Structures are given as C-alpha cells and as structure tokens.
Amino acid sequence: MKQVWFIRHGESEGNAGLPHAVSALTPLTEKGMRQADAIPPRIVQRPDLIVISPFPRAQQTAVPTLQKFPDVPTENWDEVCEFMALSDTKHGDKVWHHRIRAADQWWHKCDPDYCEEDGMETWRALIQRVRIARTRLAALPHDFVVVFTHGTFTRTLVWDTVQGSPDITRVAMRRAREFTRMHGLQFYNGDIIPALVSSDGKWFIGGVEHAHQ
Amino acid sequence: MNSFHAFGLTEKGRTHAELVAEHFTTAPDLIVASPFLRAQQTALPLRRRFPNVPYEEWAVQEFVYLAAARFQDVTSADLTSVSDAYWARNDPDHIDGEGAESFVTFIQRVAMLREQLVQTSHDFVAIVSHGLFLKAFVWYTLQGSPRLTPKVMARGAMTMRGLHIGNGSIVKTWLDDNGDWYLGRIDEASVVHTTWGE
C-alpha cells in the first residue's frame, strides 16, 4: 500500500474573514503560520515526494515541512489547487458574509455546468480535476507522498472516492454540497487526511487527524 | 419492534440480495446481520452461498429515531415532517419516545461495531446492515471518532446526507495493523465496475 497524506493549509486571511481582492492569492495569517510550523513534527517518516498546490497559502504552509526534509523532491500541481467557482471580479474585496451568500447562491443553482464567469470552474470541472489528481497520484512510483492542498478540494476528493466516482448529475452535486461544505465533514486548517492506494489502484481513505487533538 | 421495522424485502430487494452474494469473490470468515428482518433476508443468499461460514446477529440494526407510535396510521408525508423535526432539534441525547433511541446511543452502536471488529480474530467479515447505520459508520470513521456535541451531530447529519448508499450497496473498509480504519469505495452490487481508478 502506498500512502498519500492530504494536508489542508493553515488559516488564510480568507478563512479569517478578511476581504481579499484575488481569492487564489490570500496569504496565511499569523495563526496559519503557527499551524504550518506544527505540521513537520507530525510527519515522522520521510516522504518520497511533496506535492503542493500553487496557491500561496498552500506554498506557505509547506515551508516548515520543506525545511525539515530539504532533500525531498517537490512538485507544484495545478490539479490540487482549491475550487475556483466564484469570480473575483464580482466578489473580490467583499466581506465574508457576502462571499458566503454568493457561495450559497452558486450552489443553490445546483447545475454541474454553471460557470459564473469565463475562466471560473464549474462543478463538473472540479470533479474531473479531482479524478485526474487521484489518477496521477496513484500512478506515482513513490511509497509516501504528502500533498499540501485545500479544504473543498480534499473533501470533494474524499466524497468522490468513497462514492466511487458517480455520474456527474444535479443529484450527485446536491449530495456533494452537503458532504463538502464548511459545515459538513470537519477538516480544519492544518488537518491531515491519510489515504492508502493499493498496488491495483484502489483508494482507501482514513480518518481526519486534527491539528489539535 | 413495531411493524415498520419488521418490513421484509420486496421482489427487487431479493434480487439485490442475490447480487450481493454474487459480488463476493472470496468467502468471508464470518457473516453478520442486524436483527431486522430486511437485513436477515438480505443475508440469506450469502449464507446459502457460503454454508460453512459462521453466522452471527450483531446490534447493527437501523437507527430508529422516531417512537413506535409515530408509525401508526400515518402517511409518508407525516413521517417526513416528524423526521425533519427530529433532525432540526439537533439534540444528541433526545429520545422521541418508546421504541426510539438517541443519536448518542446510535453512534455508540457504531463505535461498538468497530470495537467488535478490532477484537475479532477473523480477517474478512461481511456485515449486513442498513442505510443510516452505514452512513454513520462512514462519517464516524472519516471524522476520526468525534465526541458528540450538538455541533458535531449537526455536521454528522450534514455529512451523512451527502452520502448515497443505495439498497444492495457494499461499503468496503480496511483495518490496518496499527488499528487505523480506512474506507474504500461504496460499490452497488447491481452495478458492475471494471476499474477502481475512475
């Protein structure tokens, strides 16, 4: 069995409720930095590869772990970035409750092909990206891979894996929304979800390991 | 046990049960079923296929959160509204009335099942259970055995609503040597999958 750990980035300014012009670029807060510092002691075994989302909050979260394992190769994968459904043109610089309401309205349409603006992701695109990431991770020759990634992305990967990659329909999207939303599966900043991949490519998802037990 | 919980399988349900039995490529070391009739009937084809495998009844029955009296002379619309009201209360200790159990007791049964599985000497156990029970098992395992507060119950209910476990589905789990649980893909016995990856 190959091990793949999914680590959610530390608290970002977005998570802390601060407005941000470009949501992909929201950096870690002081608390997020401390959460990033708390990650390396939990990675006892040396990883064979560290995969990182290109978003700054994931990159910053990985830094203390990269310092602990300076000789471990790292790769930036666009596939493991956060779900990007809401347009910064429309919602950038807006306060937290505005973004929450915009997200609720976006999900309420429950349309797998709804695209808010050119360049933004549909739910179908997210699911396809999750499946590409999973296939790419399963194909790696390494025994232990650590992935610095995001909340909605990881919850969606867990949901899609456990549900066996269901057809992309409105019903599936409605269910995924319940499972992956902020008030569904508890997967906080700095939390780890360990997974196993068998030699024939079967995925097994472990329990969330919270940063503060 | 009132009549609602004594429901047997339909014709379609019996087909699901046959498909579940056919789904097994190796014999389990133990077959377990809940005390509810529909689970016992679902286990029958599996027991017939593996007649030498021991069979036990464990407390893996469905979560019954409504009192027995609620099921008398009501329409399914009435049941939906009392069911919604139960979940809206979001009180882990609430017991609706005689014949019902609390969410805490329910989750204790889920935890007890995991403990029984840790203790058993068998390598491969097949358990015939129910929708909410299996959803709770999946949630409780993914969530790393959380302590039950109203907030945790609300999130558990939300996460469970996001899962689909149809009749005749199989939730495959793996317990590693360190005692850590892992969840595999939920397979529908009536659907033939060729690969796991996609």
Side-chain angles (χ1 to χ4, degrees):
Chain A
M1 289 273 201
K2 175 213 298 271
Q3 286 189 80
V4 181
W5 284 14
F6 297 93
I7 303 179
R8 186 176 171 205
H9 60 79
E11 183 192 75
S12 67
E13 290 187 0
N15 297 144
L18 300 170
H20 40 278
V22 182
S23 58
L25 301 181
T26 172
L28 293 189
T29 60
E30 279 294 319
K31 184 181 171 188
M33 298 283 197
R34 287 198 304 275
Q35 288 167 331
D37 285 333
I39 290 168
R42 301 166 70 201
I43 307 177
V44 176
Q45 189 195 330
R46 178 187 179 277
D48 302 305
L49 176 69
I50 297 172
V51 171
I52 317 171
S53 148
F55 288 7
R57 57 190 185 271
Q59 297 276 328
Q60 287 177 291
T61 304
V63 166
T65 303
L66 301 185
Q67 283 163 351
K68 178 174 176 178
F69 301 108
D71 57 334
V72 171
T74 67
E75 292 180 14
N76 292 335
W77 287 17
D78 290 342
E79 288 96 326
V80 301
C81 78
E82 186 53 305
F83 186 29
M84 295 296 289
L86 295 182
S87 138
D88 288 317
T89 328
K90 284 187 176 148
H91 313 289
D93 276 330
K94 293 283 171 55
V95 289
W96 179 245
H97 66 260
H98 169 96
R99 297 189 83 98
I100 294 289
R101 199 167 56 236
D104 282 344
Q105 285 165 356
W106 188 95
W107 280 100
H108 190 70
K109 294 181 200 296
C110 206
D111 177 355
D113 293 305
Y114 175 68
C115 176
E116 192 178 66
E117 189 182 278
D118 252 9
M120 302 319 293
E121 279 189 302
T122 62
W123 188 67
R124 183 186 302 279
L126 170 68
I127 293 293
Q128 286 167 344
R129 180 156 67 78
V130 158
R131 293 175 187 176
I132 289 167
R134 203 173 44 209
T135 303
R136 201 175 160 193
L137 286 165
L140 290 171
H142 312 291
D143 289 330
F144 181 29
V145 179
V146 168
V147 185
F148 285 90
T149 177
H150 303 265
T152 302
F153 173 83
T154 306
R155 290 189 191 100
T156 304
L157 184 139
V158 168
W159 177 84
D160 188 67
T161 304
V162 170
Q163 289 292 187
S165 301
D167 291 340
I168 299 171
T169 61
R170 296 176 76 94
V171 173
M173 183 176 175
R174 182 168 46 74
R175 292 196 182 112
R177 164 62 168 163
E178 304 285 30
F179 188 95
T180 63
R181 64 189 300 168
M182 209 166 42
H183 300 295
L185 190 71
Q186 293 167 277
F187 179 50
Y188 300 125
N189 294 118
D191 283 356
I192 299 174
I193 294 183
L196 300 174
V197 191
S198 69
S199 52
D200 55 349
K202 289 177 185 165
W203 281 81
F204 293 87
I205 308 289
V208 177
E209 290 167 15
H210 294 301
H212 303 287
Q213 293 284 355
Chain B
M1 200 177 297
N2 61 52
S3 61
F4 180 77
H5 306 112
F7 275 155
L9 294 183
T10 61
E11 191 61 48
K12 191 174 170 186
R14 282 194 289 274
T15 308
H16 286 142
E18 296 291 343
L19 289 168
V20 166
E22 284 169 27
H23 190 87
F24 284 71
T25 49
T26 53
D29 302 310
L30 175 68
I31 298 171
V32 170
S34 109
F36 286 5
L37 182 63
R38 56 192 187 272
Q40 304 208 341
Q41 288 180 337
T42 303
L44 277 179
L46 188 61
R47 292 172 65 192
R48 275 200 293 268
R49 183 165 170 209
F50 302 111
N52 299 323
V53 174
Y55 170 73
E56 292 176 12
E57 199 177 291
W58 288 6
V60 295
Q61 70 271 21
E62 187 55 305
F63 180 30
V64 180
Y65 52 90
L66 296 180
R70 302 271 200 197
F71 297 97
Q72 285 157 9
D73 306 320
V74 288
T75 65
S76 59
D78 294 336
L79 274 184
T80 303
S81 73
V82 286
S83 165
D84 288 350
Y86 168 82
W87 290 104
R89 289 180 81 100
N90 200 45
D91 176 356
D93 294 307
H94 176 69
I95 298 171
D96 187 53
E98 207 184 316
E101 67 182 333
S102 69
F103 191 73
V104 166
T105 311
F106 168 52
I107 297 302
Q108 279 168 352
R109 286 197 290 112
V110 172
M112 193 174 74
L113 167 64
R114 289 211 326 197
E115 191 50 38
Q116 279 175 289
L117 290 171
V118 169
Q119 298 298 332
T120 183
S121 56
H122 301 297
D123 284 334
F124 179 20
V125 183
I127 298 158
V128 184
S129 181
H130 303 261
L132 282 177
F133 189 93
L134 292 174
K135 285 181 189 181
F137 186 98
V138 170
W139 164 69
Y140 190 74
T141 301
L142 288 176
Q143 205 60 87
S145 316
R147 205 171 55 81
L148 290 185
T149 61
K151 180 184 160 194
V152 168
M153 178 181 174
R155 300 184 69 142
M158 184 82 79
T159 309
M160 285 162 64
R161 274 201 296 278
L163 289 168
H164 173 61
I165 303 182
N167 294 116
S169 293
I170 301 175
V171 180
K172 292 173 181 169
T173 73
W174 166 270
L175 178 61
D176 76 5
D177 295 337
N178 303 321
D180 291 324
W181 286 90
Y182 290 87
L183 283 163
R185 191 178 73 181
I186 298 168
D187 272 322
E188 285 188 53
S190 49
V191 179
V192 178
H193 289 286
T194 47
T195 62
W196 270 70
E198 291 302 313

